Amino acid sequence: MSGAINLSDTIEKYLPAELGGFMRLAGEAAAGRKQGFYLVGGVVRDLLLGQTNLDLDLVVEGDAIALGQALAQARQAKITAHPRFNTAKLQWDGWSVDIATARSESYARPGALPDVKPGRIQEDLSRRDFTINAMAVYLSPGRYGELIDLYGGRADLERKLVRVLHDRSFIDDATRIWRGLRYEQRLDFQLEENTLRLLQRDVSMLDTISGDRIRNELELVLKEKLPEKVLRRAEELGVLQRLHPSLKGNRWLSEKLAQARHLSHTSPPSIGIYLALLTYRLSGQELECLISYLRLPKSLSQVLRDTISLKDTLQALADPELKPSQVYQMLHGCSLPAITVNLLACEASTASQHIHLFLDKLRYVKPALTGDSLILMGVAPGPGVKQVLDLLRQARLNGEATAKRDEQAMVSDWLARNRIKVPADKSNVERRHEP
Ligand code: ATP
């Protein structure tokens, strides 16, 4: 099938002229160095599907950094080179492209990162995950736009199949299991029969992958438009359970993730919200296991922990007799995503009314008096100031103080109760400062 198809019109149709122009220029520059130059991976797949994908992955049969430097000069682009991987990223006027050196790979042991050597495009394509991602397009002047399809990727796109290139693929790199589910669900494809069999055979190979790499895959899943589809399929195939045996990708989760999208002002919702919904049913101890396995960053871990501890408060929050100040007390200090997740998850309508009240109103309530004004009124600097401010906030929350003068009266009362004698020159000072 190699060379039978030319995609130059498709490139023109689905990619901006700036990127098309850049690829032609780069192909000529590489040809001047007697190096083959190609567009590879996901963007080729998406071009054949008639979709725009601006994530250009380019491969050169030669030194990617040296070529990148020459191109950066021609385009006045910023270059970020990674000598360890022999790759370069070019950025200019809001555009960004990645250039890599064509490479061949071998795996010393399952799950390890591969040993890498410079190679030809054929070798570079043979190390890829799925046939639909293992196509390339020539960018050299004489053959610009010609499709290289060594593994039947185009036919698999037509048949809507996700197929590995060989039977050891998941053993070499089990992150491909998660990747396969992502493509299957995103594109509404099927895992090809033998690929599905291999996946089920090799699912335990996921345990050979470091937590960091699994976290990375999970984040990619949660960045999908409909992550619940991937998670549901992952449960069905026993993949999710490799993360933690108590995780479920069930209908409850699907509904909650969809509701999170409706509720979210920043669309899509943060990874924290999705992940906290996924881990909602875990016990505190199970959650800690998962956090340390995935080596989750501190702030994300805090969201998950807050979510679980707030879950334990939901029953108390469902008490219809609660005063607003008690609702405030239970919820303030919790991270916002944790509150949102509990709002989505809670079944009791009173608890959800209380959470709404907190989110819409209570969290913004503040006393009119400040710490400075309390000191001017005679409260000694130190912990007493916070104590009085808390009292004032409580009174505001419960509607017992609605104006500044109510607060001033409360402070005088507090001073009197605490037997603090206010010097004459301070007794009127706050009133004098009033606007
Ligand atoms: P997406 O649309 O999800 O960004 P992509 O195909 O661009 O898809 P990347 O993760 O950016 O995916 O990877 C670029 C290419 O690198 C893939 O198309 C695939 O050919 C190859 N690749 C990425 N990860 C692996 C892997 N674990 N094993 C083999 N090949 C991989």
Side-chain angles (χ1 to χ4, degrees):
M1 187 167 292
S2 169
I5 303 279
N6 192 298
L7 294 183
S8 48
D9 290 345
T10 315
I11 290 175
E12 227 166 89
K13 185 165 173 197
Y14 293 106
L15 293 184
E18 175 70 22
L19 292 180
F22 174 81
M23 289 197 292
R24 280 191 191 273
L25 171 91
E28 281 161 21
R33 296 163 177 251
K34 307 229 174 323
Q35 294 167 345
F37 191 62
Y38 310 88
L39 179 64
V40 294
V43 65
V44 178
R45 174 198 70 217
D46 289 343
L47 281 171
L48 286 165
L49 289 171
Q51 293 171 7
T52 296
N53 177 343
L54 300 181
D55 259 344
L56 291 202
D57 282 323
L58 303 165
V59 162
V60 59
E61 288 169 324
D63 185 346
I65 296 180
L67 178 66
Q69 279 161 342
L71 292 170
Q73 231 172 15
R75 265 295 195 274
Q76 310 272 295
K78 177 183 162 224
I79 177 167
T80 313
H82 296 284
R84 220 180 114 212
F85 302 106
N86 209 345
T87 60
K89 182 185 271 304
L90 261 53
Q91 289 164 299
W92 75 99
D93 301 342
W95 305 105
S96 167
V97 302
D98 289 302
I99 307 177
T101 299
R103 61 201 226 184
S104 71
E105 285 182 352
S106 56
Y107 290 84
R109 62 182 164 78
L113 289 173
D115 300 321
V116 174
K117 280 194 304 214
R120 305 297 305 267
I121 188 68
Q122 292 79 2
E123 291 162 308
D124 193 284
L125 295 177
S126 73
R127 70 177 176 86
R128 290 178 183 259
D129 47 4
F130 304 107
T131 61
I132 56 172
N133 286 343
M135 291 177 278
V137 173
Y138 279 102
L139 298 176
S140 324
R143 307 186 71 172
Y144 185 88
E146 267 182 39
L147 180 69
I148 306 174
D149 179 12
L150 307 174
Y151 300 95
R154 201 165 70 91
D156 282 340
L157 278 180
E158 268 159 24
R159 282 178 288 192
K160 297 177 175 272
L161 290 177
V162 176
R163 183 196 307 265
V164 286
L165 305 196
H166 57 85
D167 284 6
R168 281 187 56 85
S169 188
F170 295 131
I171 299 175
D172 284 346
D173 179 356
T175 63
R176 293 171 186 164
I177 291 178
W178 276 107
R179 294 178 63 83
L181 301 188
R182 247 187 333 114
Y183 294 118
E184 184 196 47
Q185 296 304 313
R186 182 203 299 172
L187 301 171
D188 271 327
F189 279 24
Q190 292 276 307
L191 290 168
E192 172 272 333
E193 204 179 316
N194 183 46
T195 302
L196 176 61
R197 189 183 60 77
L198 295 170
L199 187 151
Q200 286 170 318
R201 182 194 73 184
D202 296 334
V203 72
S204 65
M205 299 310 288
L206 279 165
D207 301 349
T208 64
I209 305 292
S210 71
D212 283 326
R213 293 185 68 206
I214 295 285
R215 184 191 63 241
N216 190 41
E217 291 305 322
L218 186 60
E219 281 175 4
L220 291 174
V221 168
L222 298 178
K223 283 183 192 159
E224 289 289 320
K225 228 185 201 158
L226 300 173
E228 59 269 32
K229 286 181 69 191
V230 185
L231 295 169
R232 186 178 259 223
R233 183 72 161 140
E235 180 187 330
E236 194 177 295
L237 295 177
V239 174
L240 190 61
Q241 293 83 329
R242 291 278 157 186
L243 267 184
H244 193 286
S246 306
L247 291 177
K248 296 264 184 289
N250 54 14
R251 187 185 304 179
W252 181 88
L253 185 72
S254 295
E255 279 173 17
K256 297 303 164 187
L257 263 52
Q259 286 170 11
R261 279 193 294 278
H262 285 129
L263 200 75
S264 165
H265 302 293
T266 61
S267 56
S270 68
I271 288 196
I273 288 190
Y274 277 159
L275 199 54
L277 283 166
L278 177 63
T279 56
Y280 195 74
R281 303 281 168 199
L282 298 189
S283 69
Q285 212 176 8
E286 290 173 329
L287 179 67
E288 289 308 320
C289 278
L290 190 65
I291 287 175
S292 63
Y293 166 49
L294 294 179
R295 302 191 344 137
L296 295 181
K298 240 182 178 171
S299 58
L300 189 53
S301 308
Q302 199 51 47
V303 168
L304 305 189
R305 290 188 182 113
D306 277 1
T307 303
I308 302 273
S309 56
L310 193 54
K311 179 177 77 173
D312 297 335
T313 317
L314 282 183
Q315 213 179 352
L317 256 178
D319 178 355
E321 303 296 318
L322 285 180
K323 287 184 179 174
S325 61
Q326 291 170 306
V327 173
Y328 179 88
Q329 195 59 35
M330 288 178 186
L331 292 174
H332 95 282
C334 277
S335 51
L336 211 53
I339 297 177
T340 309
V341 167
N342 276 282
L343 179 64
L344 289 166
C346 79
E347 313 288 340
S349 70
T350 312
S352 82
Q353 279 164 11
H354 282 151
I355 296 177
H356 272 300
L357 180 69
F358 175 82
L359 289 176
D360 299 343
K361 209 167 138 198
L362 304 185
R363 68 179 163 138
Y364 301 113
V365 171
K366 266 203 240 155
L369 296 178
T370 63
D372 283 347
S373 38
L374 295 189
I375 291 168
L376 281 172
M377 289 177 75
V379 180
V385 175
K386 181 171 181 313
Q387 195 189 334
V388 178
L389 282 175
D390 285 347
L391 277 176
L392 297 180
R393 187 199 302 267
Q394 222 174 61
R396 280 267 174 189
L397 286 165
N398 294 338
E400 294 150 11
T402 52
K404 196 172 184 178
R405 60 175 180 284
D406 300 332
E407 293 183 13
Q408 284 161 339
M410 284 185 68
V411 177
S412 307
D413 206 40
W414 185 89
L415 289 167
R417 264 188 290 120
N418 285 274
R419 296 206 177 81
I420 296 170
K421 245 182 123 199
V422 182
D425 61 325
K426 283 202 170 182
S427 62
N428 271 326
V429 89
E430 177 57 30
R431 292 214 161 106
R432 267 190 271 120
H433 282 257
E434 247 177 54

